[in-house]
């Protein structure tokens, strides 16, 4: 005991054991590092997982916000070219807003004879048969079957579907009929002298009371006129991104007099 105390006293005064301690600390450090490594990795993984989850939530919120903003903006081109006569004709001056609900696609069916999608919204979300369906760029179709938690919608390119439209430039009314092809719609029964041009924007007319007026449907891409035929052959390309859309909008037409 006396020897130990003497040794400690000698080390305190002359620091003879300082080198030994330094050598031992170098030898022990790898062991300390290995002991602490699992805790360090766990903390790093937890922090990164939390950061990733936060970023995913923020991205989802921003995507939904962007979709809602694009929905509001897509009507501007139609509204800019409307005049008072057309607004009176469509009785749309009081239709200042529509209620919307964002839904996700669960399944897509592009069979040549059936263009359908399955949505993750249904009767519990007030979805109804005939419910208008849009994406951020234009009209997609309408709901044809509703179950409590999901619903099925037919796309505007389905051969059995037709949308009442009008030429945004001059108000000429017609129909946009599905062809079974994703790239184009037929615009039938237009006389050869009809005022329609390549590049014309076709928007919903509001007739039929299914689709709110003024939403983009398609752009005229080809016009063929045969003097021996009474009607021109007119094709248009849908504005909606039928192949790429994953989130869509279900729209409730505004009530008359709604502010």
């Amino acid at each position: 005991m006396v020897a130990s105390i003497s040794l400690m006293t000698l080390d305190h005064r002359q620091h003879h054991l300082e080198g030994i301690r330094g050598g031992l600390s170098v030898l022990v450090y790898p062991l300390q590092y290995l002991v602490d490594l699992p805790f360090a990795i766990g903390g790093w993984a937890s922090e990164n997982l939390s950061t990733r989850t936060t970023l995913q939530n923020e991205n989802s919120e921003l995507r939904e916000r962007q979709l809602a903003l694009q929905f509001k903006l897509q009507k501007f081109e139609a509204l800019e070219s409307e005049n008072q006569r057309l607004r009176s004709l469509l009785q749309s001056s009081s239709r200042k807003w529509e209620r919307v609900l964002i839904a996700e696609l669960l399944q897509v069916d592009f069979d040549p004879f059936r263009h359908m999608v399955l949505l993750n919204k249904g009767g519990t979300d007030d979805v109804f048969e005939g419910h208008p369906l849009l994406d951020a760029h234009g009209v997609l179709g309408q709901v044809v079957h509703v179950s409590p938690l999901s619903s099925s919608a037919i796309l505007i390119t389905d051969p059995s579907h037709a949308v009442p439209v009008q030429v945004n430039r001059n108000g000429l009314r017609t129909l946009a009929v599905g062809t079974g092809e994703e790239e184009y719609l037929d615009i039938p029964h237009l006389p050869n002298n009809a005022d329609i041009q390549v590049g014309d924007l076709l928007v919903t007319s509001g007739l039929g009371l299914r689709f709110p007026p003024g939403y983009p449907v398609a752009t005229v891409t080809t016009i063929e006129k045969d003097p021996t035929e009474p009607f021109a052959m007119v094709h248009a390309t849908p504005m909606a991104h039928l192949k790429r859309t994953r989130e869509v909008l279900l729209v409730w037409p505004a009530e008359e007099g709604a502010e």
Side-chain angles (χ1 to χ4, degrees), residues 7-253:
L7 186 61
M8 292 176 63
T9 302
L10 183 63
D11 178 55
H12 178 71
R13 291 178 178 178
Q14 301 184 17
H15 306 288
H16 290 297
L17 300 179
E18 199 65 41
I20 297 176
R21 282 201 199 92
L24 289 174
S25 67
V26 171
L27 293 174
V28 172
Y29 176 77
L31 296 176
Q32 292 177 329
Y33 178 79
L34 291 174
V35 170
D36 291 338
L37 184 59
F39 299 99
I41 292 176
W44 176 83
S46 177
E47 180 180 353
N48 277 269
L49 181 60
S50 176
T51 302
R52 178 178 176 140
T53 301
T54 301
L55 289 174
Q56 287 177 333
N57 291 337
E58 290 178 354
N59 285 340
S60 179
E61 292 176 3
L62 289 173
R63 198 163 50 243
E64 291 186 3
R65 194 178 307 170
Q66 181 187 25
L67 186 63
L69 289 174
Q70 287 177 315
F71 165 74
K72 294 178 181 178
L73 289 173
Q74 67 176 267
K75 290 186 70 175
F76 283 1
E77 184 174 357
L79 293 175
E80 286 175 359
S81 66
E82 279 186 341
N83 55 32
Q84 188 61 44
R85 178 194 61 78
L86 187 56
R87 285 195 296 271
S88 299
L89 176 64
L90 298 176
Q91 297 181 350
S92 62
S93 60
S94 62
R95 303 188 179 200
K96 298 179 181 178
W97 60 273
E98 289 93 12
R99 173 188 168 195
V100 298
L101 175 68
I102 294 176
E104 294 183 1
L105 300 187
L106 299 177
Q107 184 178 340
V108 179
D109 184 359
F110 277 115
D111 183 277
F113 302 102
R114 193 177 92 163
H115 290 192
M116 303 280 291
V117 294
L118 181 66
L119 310 175
N120 69 341
K121 303 296 183 182
T124 56
D125 304 291
D126 298 330
V127 177
F128 55 89
E129 291 187 7
H131 211 138
L133 185 68
L134 299 90
D135 71 359
H137 307 279
V139 175
L140 272 174
Q142 60 180 298
V143 173
V144 292
H145 176 73
V146 179
S147 60
L149 300 178
S150 64
S151 55
S152 299
I154 186 173
L155 300 179
I156 59 174
T157 51
D158 188 281
S160 65
H161 192 273
V163 185
V165 297
Q166 64 186 31
V167 178
N168 192 55
R169 175 174 54 84
N170 57 17
L172 176 66
R173 291 192 295 271
T174 182
L175 290 175
V177 180
T179 63
E181 299 286 341
E182 301 164 30
E183 293 80 14
Y184 69 91
L185 305 171
D186 273 340
I187 313 300
H189 311 310
L190 281 180
N192 284 326
N193 61 354
D195 184 8
I196 189 168
Q197 303 172 6
V198 171
D200 274 343
L201 174 65
L202 304 177
V203 300
T204 50
S205 66
L207 300 179
L209 304 179
R210 281 293 176 93
F211 295 93
Y215 284 94
V217 176
T219 302
V220 176
T221 50
T222 62
I223 300 174
E224 298 178 14
K225 298 181 179 181
D226 185 346
T228 63
E229 297 292 336
F231 300 113
M233 293 182 61
V234 182
H235 292 155
T237 301
M239 297 292 292
H241 292 182
L242 299 171
K243 290 184 177 179
R244 289 175 282 171
T245 297
R246 297 194 64 178
E247 296 171 317
V248 297
L249 296 165
L250 291 160
V251 182
W252 281 261

